[in-house]
Every structure is written in C-alpha cells, then in structure tokens.
Amino acid sequence: MQQTFYKYQGTGNDFVMIDNRQQTFDKNNTKQVAFLCDRRFGIGADGLILLENHPDYDFKMVYYNADGNESTMCGNGGRCLVAFAKQMGVITDKAIFEAIDGLHHATIENGIVHLQMLDVDVVEKYENHVFLNTGSPHHVQFESQIEDFDIKTKGAGIRYGAPYNEAGTNVNFVQKVSDAVFRVRTYERGVEDETLSCGTGVTAVAIAMHATGETQDNHVTLNVEGGKLEVRFNAENGVYNDVWLIGPATYVFEGTI
Ligand SMILES: N[C@@H](CCC[C@H](N)C(=O)O)C(=O)O
C-alpha cells in the first residue's frame, strides 16, 4: 500500500508526518516505521509522527523514534506537528493537543511555534550531572567544551550504562556561552546517535541550568547544532511551571512511498 507523507524539521530534528485521522496507518508495524525513517532505504528522519483525531481537543500526537518504537514526548516533533496540523487545516494559529505525557497548548505565528511543556517538580542533582523528565528522560552533563566531543560514543556509554540500562535516557552535553545562553549537543535514545536538536532535551538543559544556579534567568537561549531554541519558564520553590519551548518548525517536502 502506498503511504502519503509530509517531511518537517525543527532546528534540524526531522520527522515524517502522517495524517492518520482515518486510522489507516498500521501502528504496530515497527519495521515499517523504521523503514520510513531509514535515511538510505526510506524517506529518512529522526522520528515519525501520526496526526490523529481527538474527541475533546484539536488533535492527538503519536510519536515513534527512528528505530520504529513508540516513545515518550518529542518537543521538536510536537512543534512540527502543530505546523503540520495548520497545513492540514485542523487548526489556525493555536492548538490544544494530547500527547503521551498529557495536554499541550501551542501557538504558531510566521513558522515559529510556542509549545507548552510538562511542569517539572523533580530535578535530581548529582556531582557531575542532572537528571530530569521533561516528557522524556534527560541526563544533562556540564562540560567546559563540546566542540570536539565524540557525542555518539560518550552518549551511548551513558545511555546504556547504570542507572539507566536498557530503558535508557537521552543525554545532553552542555557548554555555557554566557549567563542565559548555553550550547547543547544531544545523543538521542531511539535514534542511537547525535541529532541536530532535541526539544525536550533543551527544555531539560534550561531547567537544569537554573536549578544548579548556572543561570538566574527564566528565559534561556539554547544553541543547538541545527539552530537556536528558546525556553521560558516560571520557577517557584523548585517547581517549574508555565514551561514553553519556542522555535521554528519548517515544512520540507511531501510525497508518497
Ligand atoms: N527529539 C525529541 C525527543 C524524542 C524522544 C526521545 N528520542 C526518547 O525516546 O526519549 C525532542 O525533540 O524532544
């Protein structure tokens, strides 16, 4: 069967988008999802996202990693899905949608998507790293420089090591640029490689930098390999709410395969 698809990217984190409002996509076919995401044999993407109907909200998001498995929240994917829902005529300039981690509010204007992320009330601080969940699990590790870093080897070591083991985590390496600006490179679970950007990852980094006193600001800029993202939040007694991930979401091409 031929599959119509749309390709989007958000700061270089790229996704195959499928309109599944008619429930025609075989959601349990892991091999098919992995094939569509394959950069040599398929379309090529870090993940695949289904746009589905929701009885109470604008739409539902179903997210798969490039390995073909359904996974936890994808921040850049959520931003791209808002742009795709607009292209499909499902929304105009704002949305409320359900993802695996709950409800998300979003707005879109001139290709820039503001996406509200999960509140965070647990930030685990260790000697060399911070661990927190921003819809997906994130290990955040501060480094003095990440330019010449072997992200894939170092990231995989942490992702598969204790205490994360097989369930794993995403791994973010962070370098401070200035008070409220950080450079981030991320190893993504389920892609099992460095990606050019990770939305839940930069959200985790912004909160981790605030929680450890690396920034006093509640509006942080994150320089990633694929561009620039912003994260804003409200911090009150160790609880982070009103968390927003902000950045571009761009249509690339469409086709059938
Ligand atoms: N690219 C994502 C994160 C996607 C989920 C992640 N790979 C996982 O399985 O935890 C983002 O932009 O947040």
Side-chain angles (χ1 to χ4, degrees):
M1 195 186 102
Q2 287 221 310
Q3 179 66 61
T4 302
F5 69 87
Y6 299 77
K7 179 82 189 283
Y8 272 76
Q9 61 89 6
T11 50
N13 204 189
D14 59 345
F15 307 97
V16 170
M17 299 292 186
I18 291 175
D19 180 357
N20 196 35
R21 285 177 292 167
Q22 302 305 320
Q23 292 290 321
T24 49
F25 190 79
D26 181 358
K27 292 164 88 166
N28 298 315
N29 194 341
T30 307
K31 280 193 180 149
Q32 173 71 355
V33 174
F35 160 69
L36 294 172
C37 292
D38 191 292
R39 294 192 187 279
R40 293 185 178 84
F41 296 101
I43 303 158
D46 295 325
L48 180 145
I49 301 173
L50 303 178
L51 173 71
E52 298 197 338
N53 286 322
H54 193 286
D56 303 317
Y57 302 104
D58 292 312
F59 55 89
K60 181 178 174 191
M61 170 179 180
V62 181
Y63 174 75
Y64 300 85
N65 276 323
D67 66 5
N69 294 307
E70 191 175 347
S71 195
T72 46
M73 180 56 183
C74 178
N76 286 330
R79 293 190 307 99
C80 287
L81 187 61
V82 170
F84 179 50
K86 181 175 170 142
Q87 184 184 355
M88 293 292 102
V90 173
I91 59 158
T92 48
D93 55 2
K94 49 178 185 282
I96 304 179
F97 68 93
E98 188 180 40
I100 195 157
D101 62 338
L103 286 185
H104 291 265
H105 290 251
T107 60
I108 177 165
E109 199 184 339
N110 298 327
I112 303 295
V113 178
H114 289 58
L115 176 65
Q116 189 172 25
M117 306 295 284
L118 199 68
D119 291 353
V120 174
D121 56 7
V122 180
V123 180
E124 297 176 29
K125 294 181 225 167
Y126 300 95
E127 205 179 320
N128 297 317
H129 73 276
V130 174
F131 179 79
L132 65 162
N133 193 313
T134 51
S136 280
H138 285 278
H139 174 111
V140 176
Q141 191 158 307
F142 207 76
E143 298 288 343
S144 53
Q145 73 83 24
I146 53 174
E147 177 67 30
D148 309 320
F149 229 64
D150 183 349
I151 302 290
K152 187 168 180 177
T153 307
K154 287 200 159 75
I158 295 168
R159 179 258 191 261
Y160 286 106
Y164 309 117
N165 304 317
E166 198 44 44
T169 183
N170 300 284
V171 184
N172 307 272
F173 298 99
V174 191
Q175 180 184 335
K176 191 167 186 167
V177 176
S178 62
D179 276 355
V181 182
F182 296 87
R183 180 176 175 190
V184 184
R185 292 179 67 186
T186 303
Y187 173 97
E188 262 193 60
R189 173 181 77 162
V191 180
E192 307 311 341
D193 205 344
E194 180 176 14
T195 57
L196 297 185
S197 172
C198 178
T200 50
V202 298
T203 305
V205 168
I207 292 173
M209 293 303 105
H210 189 273
T212 53
E214 290 292 338
T215 186
Q216 310 299 323
D217 241 296
N218 63 351
H219 181 180
V220 178
T221 299
L222 295 310
N223 297 337
V224 296
E225 296 303 283
K228 226 178 248 308
L229 287 163
E230 285 174 50
V231 175
R232 295 180 192 161
F233 50 79
N234 179 42
E236 245 172 43
N237 304 322
V239 176
Y240 292 83
N241 57 33
D242 210 14
V243 181
W244 290 84
L245 170 66
I246 303 152
T250 309
Y251 165 84
V252 188
F253 63 91
E254 64 192 77
T256 49
I257 185 167

